[in-house]
Amino acid sequence: MDILSVVGLVLAFFALVGGAILRGAGAMALVSVEAFIIVGIGTIAAICVQTPLSVMKHALSIFPWAMKPPALNPENLIKKMVEWSNVARKQGLLGLEPVLNQEPDAFVRKALQLVVDGSEPDAIRGIMEVELGAREHADTLGAKVFEGMGVYSPTLGIIGAVLGLISVMQNLADPSKLGPGIASAFTATIYGVSLANLFFLPVSAKLKVAIAAQAQVREMVIEGMISIAQGENPRAIESKLQGYLH
Amino acid sequence: MDILSVVGLVLAFFALVGGAILRGAGAMALVSVEAFIIVGIGTIAAICVQTPLSVMKHALSIFPWAMKPPALNPENLIKKMVEWSNVARKQGLLGLEPVLNQEPDAFVRKALQLVVDGSEPDAIRGIMEVELGAREHADTLGAKVFEGMGVYSPTLGIIGAVLGLISVMQNLADPSKLGPGIASAFTATIYGVSLANLFFLPVSAKLKVAIAAQAQVREMVIEGMISIAQGENPRAIESKLQGYLH
Amino acid sequence: MDILSVVGLVLAFFALVGGAILRGAGAMALVSVEAFIIVGIGTIAAICVQTPLSVMKHALSIFPWAMKPPALNPENLIKKMVEWSNVARKQGLLGLEPVLNQEPDAFVRKALQLVVDGSEPDAIRGIMEVELGAREHADTLGAKVFEGMGVYSPTLGIIGAVLGLISVMQNLADPSKLGPGIASAFTATIYGVSLANLFFLPVSAKLKVAIAAQAQVREMVIEGMISIAQGENPRAIESKLQGYLH
Amino acid sequence: MDILSVVGLVLAFFALVGGAILRGAGAMALVSVEAFIIVGIGTIAAICVQTPLSVMKHALSIFPWAMKPPALNPENLIKKMVEWSNVARKQGLLGLEPVLNQEPDAFVRKALQLVVDGSEPDAIRGIMEVELGAREHADTLGAKVFEGMGVYSPTLGIIGAVLGLISVMQNLADPSKLGPGIASAFTATIYGVSLANLFFLPVSAKLKVAIAAQAQVREMVIEGMISIAQGENPRAIESKLQGYLH
Amino acid sequence: MDILSVVGLVLAFFALVGGAILRGAGAMALVSVEAFIIVGIGTIAAICVQTPLSVMKHALSIFPWAMKPPALNPENLIKKMVEWSNVARKQGLLGLEPVLNQEPDAFVRKALQLVVDGSEPDAIRGIMEVELGAREHADTLGAKVFEGMGVYSPTLGIIGAVLGLISVMQNLADPSKLGPGIASAFTATIYGVSLANLFFLPVSAKLKVAIAAQAQVREMVIEGMISIAQGENPRAIESKLQGYLH
């Protein structure tokens, strides 16, 4: 669990509700069914029009990374690959076959399979970079679903506010309703801007960092497996791969 | 039919009309002929100045992809290409000639023709990537027509609102007209922002995803056809091409 | 003449003037000498500070492309190059010398000259891509002049409106002048936003599409002339070049 | 210590406080606990949701660069590398071993180690560019933390202002509270916009310049160490490396 | 002197002052010491925090290019390089040594030195492109200083306006001060938006055009000097280099 995500969401709640109370607007000023319908449902509407079903499913499946990014453990991967390079130098590439079934990560396993099959280094790189690129592309489309919601929700907050103001303006004759009417119109703005800036955009940004970190680790795996296929010195491999750890 | 597009448009309608009613503005507050003329016709005007006729026609022809993206079925394509690689290894590249006439997709057919003609792998890649790039460029220009409308419609909403406010300001003397005047001025804003954020921008984004997916499948076709031309192992081809499926 | 440009400008005029009349603001609300001075002259001022004289001249010289893009006719160019490849295969590259003087397009002529001179394919590509890049760069700078005007004019509309509001605020004592004062202040906003969104930005976008189309055709010419220099099969050349037509 | 950073922060304080006093708003108008809670805590909340813990720590560790960029001294590095190339030409690459332990910079030391080990120039470039890229990527993620805060703080200023306006609107009945209420609502806007434009965004921009300068110096180190490994002429190395100094 | 820059600045002054007078706000409405302090000093503060001292100095040193771009004269350079290629073909590369001391431009001289020293074409390209890149990077950082000021000054205009409105709101009791107070608050907006759009952003854009033009001419010099080093035909060199002139 990424501790900062929890801290951030708690602080966001505190800043909004605490701020509303301290300001004298009261916490109830933040509650509005109409604003929820316009901003919440409107944002969902926009993102549904924008997103193919398969991308939407993928976005939901990677959403947990915002709270708990996938465990990458590149140090451990380096240790494993150095071990494998030792095995390969002693027993030949076929000596890695028993390892193949124990490897839990599908990406690493595919690369290892290519090495065991005796593929050319260039072929390994070509095939694995297609794999890396396709996964990164799919994950990035998922992260962009949340970015899209962060772009649409403030504009739906504006629509909600303007609808509220229209309602107020139609009843200007009764000044006693003017203030509360405008106040409630603004709630939609708060919803739209808060959802975007305290949730959707930060979540999308965090997913993108997690995706980039994963891609970098996979670049490292490709580099390492090619070095193994070329029978490079285990210590040289270790030193090279450690360059990715920064 | 992409179910999310339909859901999205229904939700968008519900958020706007439901929101207007719940807010007390009433559904009629969303109806305004003047606002329609300024925002609708103005947006069409801007996009007509911006877009050559051929691009406009292409944009309209790919618009249905927003509701129903082109069926790509890459799994099926991989199966076909693996089959062809078997044929090619047994009967030579000319053995693929009978397949040529049955292939429905023009892009795949052109690549297959080059393979049957015995073209060099580099030539196949060069020619087919020009083809891929030109199609992707044309489709992207089409998607940008909707993006352009999504950029222009909110600014025309602002023009509509300001024209309405000018009219109100010219008649400040009669306060009873102030409220309804401002209310009706805001309708143009609702039109402009809603059209952009609930229709044009999401449609353009969905088209771009569809175009990118198509380009990725075509990259896979190029890779596969070159592998066939080089007489690679059918199982190796299958494993390589499956890397594109993520 | 690009019919959509004319349609677009007529619709833009209709949306603005018709909207102003229907709104009750009246067409005269769109006429203001002060607003014209601030927005029109201010936008010209900003773009003059931004643009070197040579770029400004070039921008004016390519402006007509917004109404009537340069005739490219790539189909015809393909036919010509296929013909030339036939001539080259029968009579040698020198057989193309008589064609040289009849070729109207300077870019094609330069490439043809290189072919006739027997230049290496790599040299032809290098020289012609510099030529293509330099022309595309110069044209793009021209298109950006209109983009710049589209960026500056709305901000000058804001300056005009704020100046008008300052004037109104200085005379708050007389409420009868309040409404018309604000109304007239807003006219500058209408000018700035309309000029940008109904003219400058669409024109710049259309010029960029025309420039990209021209660059694509020139890429095709380079590819074709190199194929001729390499003595490729005329039918193969035709098939390859047709990939650019999408 | 970068003198301009200090000057800038002092001027920023002077512009804000001096401006508030001269305007007649008074310095106290800039003090508001509620605004601080909403803008300050809200911005921290957003950036916590966005940023993994490791990136946050790295961001804090490079923050001092905004006040005092890392000393790069490329002239000195060139002098050292020229010296080393002399040593290498006279005593062979192993003659550089004693220097290895004295080199304080980890990046330079790693490159030097590779040279002493007799690695191939291509391998040195490959390994060191991975190292350079990974460090630059990590530092850039750190700089983007401050950029993110600069993006979120103005929107939280808007949230704070709208919450304040809601509070004012709920109490429209008492006009005497209207002015001070609106005034205090605006304080949140001042906080959000000032924090972003006088602190977060400039700090992030300065960090990015420092990161780019460091990357450029490291490119120079890579180039220099490869030249040493290839036994190039010391004077030629010096002339080449001086090209990086502009 | 670039005539358009002068024309632009004069027109900008005329649009602002003339507009203010015609609008009835009066030229004095544009004069405000407080607004100057907040916008002027605040913008300087932000850019000082953002910019290292060395970049700030470089920015000031290239600022005159906005009024008078560096004389490039590529036609003359081509003529010189064609001449040198003639000399080189007749007397060998060493025949260019006497020219070396007369060449005024440091970039051209460095390239010429490499040619005279008999460096390999690849080495000449590598070294000179580092030189070109480093100079272009430094100049671009300078141009971005003005861009940064154009980004910060409107936001400081908003801060100035909000501070003014706060002051007005604190004294709502006296309505006679309301109008002039708001009017004077808006002056800061005019300052911020005008400085950005009539000065900083256009100046930055013009500097970037000048920097790109210089880089293009230097690319041409590199290409030409390599052609000389390879002993190419003077007429072929001339034809190739003329491709850069568009």
Side-chain angles (χ1 to χ4, degrees), chain A residues 11-244:
Chain A
L11 285 181
F13 180 82
F14 178 71
L16 272 184
V17 177
I21 294 173
L22 283 170
R23 274 283 186 213
M28 288 310 293
L30 294 176
V31 179
S32 159
V33 175
E34 305 97 308
F36 177 80
I37 285 179
I38 298 172
V39 177
I41 297 193
T43 302
I44 292 172
I47 207 66
C48 280
V49 177
Q50 168 163 332
T51 314
L53 187 57
S54 59
V55 172
M56 184 64 90
K57 282 180 187 161
H58 193 70
L60 294 176
S61 80
I62 68 171
F63 170 68
W65 293 357
M67 293 297 122
K68 191 174 176 325
L72 295 171
N73 211 339
E75 289 88 355
N76 195 31
L77 270 169
I78 294 179
K79 233 166 58 187
K80 279 209 286 193
M81 287 193 284
V82 169
E83 226 175 273
W84 295 344
S85 75
N86 268 314
V87 172
R89 279 159 77 98
K90 285 182 200 140
Q91 315 172 18
L93 293 173
L94 281 173
L96 291 170
E97 210 156 19
V99 189
L100 207 49
N101 301 317
Q102 299 156 27
E103 175 52 39
D105 184 87
F107 185 87
V108 179
R109 203 166 51 236
K110 180 160 187 179
L112 197 51
Q113 178 74 63
L114 289 168
V115 171
V116 169
D117 290 354
S119 311
E120 291 294 310
D122 273 5
I124 298 178
R125 185 183 300 282
I127 292 172
M128 294 314 295
E129 291 205 329
V130 161
E131 181 94 19
L132 187 161
R135 284 167 182 260
E136 196 178 1
H137 179 69
D139 291 347
T140 302
L141 282 183
K144 282 193 176 166
V145 168
F146 300 100
E147 192 182 64
M149 296 177 88
V151 169
Y152 293 130
S153 74
T155 62
L156 280 146
I158 291 172
I159 292 177
V162 174
L163 280 178
L165 292 178
I166 288 178
S167 163
V168 169
M169 289 299 154
Q170 288 172 335
N171 303 291
L172 263 192
D174 181 354
S176 75
K177 284 186 179 157
L178 186 62
I182 296 180
S184 119
F186 283 160
T187 306
T189 308
I190 303 273
Y191 277 27
V193 177
S194 304
L195 274 174
N197 290 283
L198 295 171
F199 191 71
F200 291 132
L201 296 178
V203 159
S204 167
K206 186 169 237 164
L207 290 176
K208 282 182 186 169
V209 172
I211 292 165
Q214 216 165 357
Q216 203 178 12
V217 168
R218 283 178 180 153
E219 276 291 353
M220 186 190 81
V221 167
I222 297 175
E223 211 56 61
M225 300 311 288
I226 288 175
S227 300
I228 293 174
Q230 290 175 324
E232 281 179 24
N233 183 318
R235 261 199 319 156
I237 295 179
E238 186 168 15
S239 150
K240 171 158 62 171
L241 297 186
Q242 252 146 8
Y244 285 94

Side-chain angles (χ1 to χ4, degrees), chain B residues 3-215:
Chain B
I3 189 71
L4 282 189
S5 299
V6 184
V7 169
L9 290 176
V10 170
L11 285 180
F13 180 82
F14 178 71
L16 271 184
V17 176
I21 293 173
L22 283 171
R23 274 283 186 214
M28 288 311 293
L30 295 176
V31 180
S32 159
V33 176
E34 304 97 307
F36 177 79
I37 285 179
I38 297 172
V39 177
I41 298 193
T43 302
I44 292 172
I47 207 65
C48 280
V49 176
Q50 168 163 331
T51 313
L53 187 58
S54 59
V55 172
M56 184 65 90
K57 281 181 188 162
H58 193 69
L60 293 176
S61 80
I62 69 171
F63 170 69
W65 293 357
M67 294 296 122
K68 190 174 176 325
L72 296 171
N73 211 339
E75 291 87 355
N76 195 32
L77 270 169
I78 293 179
K79 234 167 57 189
K80 279 209 285 194
M81 287 193 284
V82 169
E83 225 176 274
W84 295 344
S85 75
N86 268 315
V87 172
R89 278 160 78 98
K90 285 184 200 138
Q91 314 172 20
L93 293 173
L94 280 174
L96 291 170
E97 209 156 20
V99 190
L100 207 49
N101 301 318
Q102 299 156 25
E103 174 52 40
D105 184 88
F107 186 86
V108 178
R109 203 166 49 236
K110 180 162 187 178
L112 197 51
Q113 178 74 64
L114 289 167
V115 171
V116 169
D117 290 354
S119 310
E120 292 294 310
D122 274 4
I124 299 177
R125 185 183 299 283
I127 292 172
M128 293 315 295
E129 291 205 327
V130 161
E131 181 94 19
L132 186 161
R135 284 167 181 261
E136 196 178 0
H137 180 69
D139 291 347
T140 303
L141 282 183
K144 281 191 177 168
V145 168
F146 300 99
E147 191 181 65
M149 295 178 87
V151 169
Y152 293 129
S153 74
T155 62
L156 280 146
I158 291 173
I159 292 176
V162 173
L163 279 178
L165 291 178
I166 288 178
S167 164
V168 169
M169 290 299 154
Q170 287 172 336
N171 302 293
L172 264 192
D174 182 353
S176 75
K177 285 186 179 159
L178 186 61
I182 295 179
S184 117
F186 283 160
T187 306
T189 309
I190 304 272
Y191 277 27
V193 177
S194 303
L195 274 174
N197 289 283
L198 295 171
F199 191 71
F200 291 132
L201 295 178
V203 159
S204 167
K206 186 169 237 164
L207 290 177
K208 283 182 186 169
V209 171
I211 292 165
Q214 216 165 357

Side-chain angles (χ1 to χ4, degrees), chain C residues 56-68:
Chain C
M56 184 65 90
K57 281 180 187 161
H58 193 69
L60 294 176
S61 80
I62 68 172
F63 170 69
W65 292 357
M67 294 298 122
K68 191 173 177 325

